[in-house]
């Protein structure tokens, strides 16, 4: 049982950048200059279609600016992104809110992870960031 708890804590805290900062890692042995094309692979897309379009458009613009060409399949590398959001309860305000008969205030924390891999699924580069999201 303790090993399961330890594993869960390790997974949750792995590569978690501070809020508002990006954490990026890359394969130091990879020859990035040899990569010219990329293809999208499935990830966990943003629930909001507008957010999904903004993320994809921004990533495609960055890839184009770095000389990459998007292809439908068979690229030199694959690109995917995953996003998630969680509502964090303001624990400092929880007691006060419960005494007043209301709900505790929450903030939505979003996380975005982008991964570039070889067609054989070897990770070449990844970036992760977390940010509090504004309500719609």
């Amino acid at each position: 049982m303790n090993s399961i708890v330890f594993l869960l804590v390790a997974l949750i805290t792995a590569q978690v950048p501070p809020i508002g900062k990006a954490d990026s890692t890359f394969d130091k042995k990879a020859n990035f200059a040899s990569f010219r094309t990329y293809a999208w692979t499935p990830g966990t897309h943003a629930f909001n279609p507008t957010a999904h379009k903004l993320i994809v458009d921004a990533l495609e613009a960055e890839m184009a600016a770095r000389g990459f060409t998007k292809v439908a399949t068979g690229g030199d590398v694959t690109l995917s992104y995953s996003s998630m959001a969680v509502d964090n309860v303001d624990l400092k305000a929880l007691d006060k809110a419960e005494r007043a008969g209301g709900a505790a205030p929450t903030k939505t924390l979003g996380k975005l992870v982008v991964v570039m891999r070889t067609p054989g699924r070897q990770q070449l580069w990844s970036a992760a960031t977390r940010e509090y999201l504004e309500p719609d």
Side-chain angles (χ1 to χ4, degrees):
M1 180 66 171
N2 286 342
S3 61
I4 293 173
V5 171
F6 177 75
L7 179 62
L8 286 174
V9 169
L11 287 173
I12 291 170
T13 59
Q15 292 188 358
V16 178
I19 293 172
K21 302 290 182 188
D23 180 38
S24 179
T25 60
F26 66 97
D27 182 348
K28 292 178 175 84
K29 295 177 185 174
N31 180 7
F32 285 89
S34 69
F35 305 135
R36 296 283 174 226
T37 61
Y38 74 97
W40 282 101
T41 59
T44 306
H45 294 169
F47 181 71
N48 181 317
T50 303
H52 170 71
K53 182 172 177 11
L54 287 170
I55 293 167
V56 169
D57 288 351
L59 290 171
E60 288 183 350
E62 287 296 323
M63 294 297 283
R66 283 162 175 65
F68 282 84
T69 302
K70 181 173 78 168
V71 295
T73 60
D76 298 328
V77 297
T78 63
L79 191 66
S80 67
Y81 88 86
S82 294
S83 69
M84 64 171 284
V86 63
D87 287 334
N88 290 339
V89 175
D90 183 345
L91 295 176
K92 293 179 181 177
L94 180 62
D95 287 336
K96 194 182 291 185
E98 285 180 343
R99 283 192 295 266
T106 62
K107 288 184 184 179
T108 301
L109 181 64
K111 182 173 182 177
L112 176 65
V113 178
V114 181
V115 181
M116 178 188 288
R117 292 185 172 97
T118 65
R121 306 279 301 152
Q122 175 189 349
Q123 184 172 310
L124 296 168
W125 171 83
S126 68
T129 188
R130 301 181 314 151
E131 188 72 51
Y132 282 109
L133 307 175
E134 296 294 323
D136 288 342

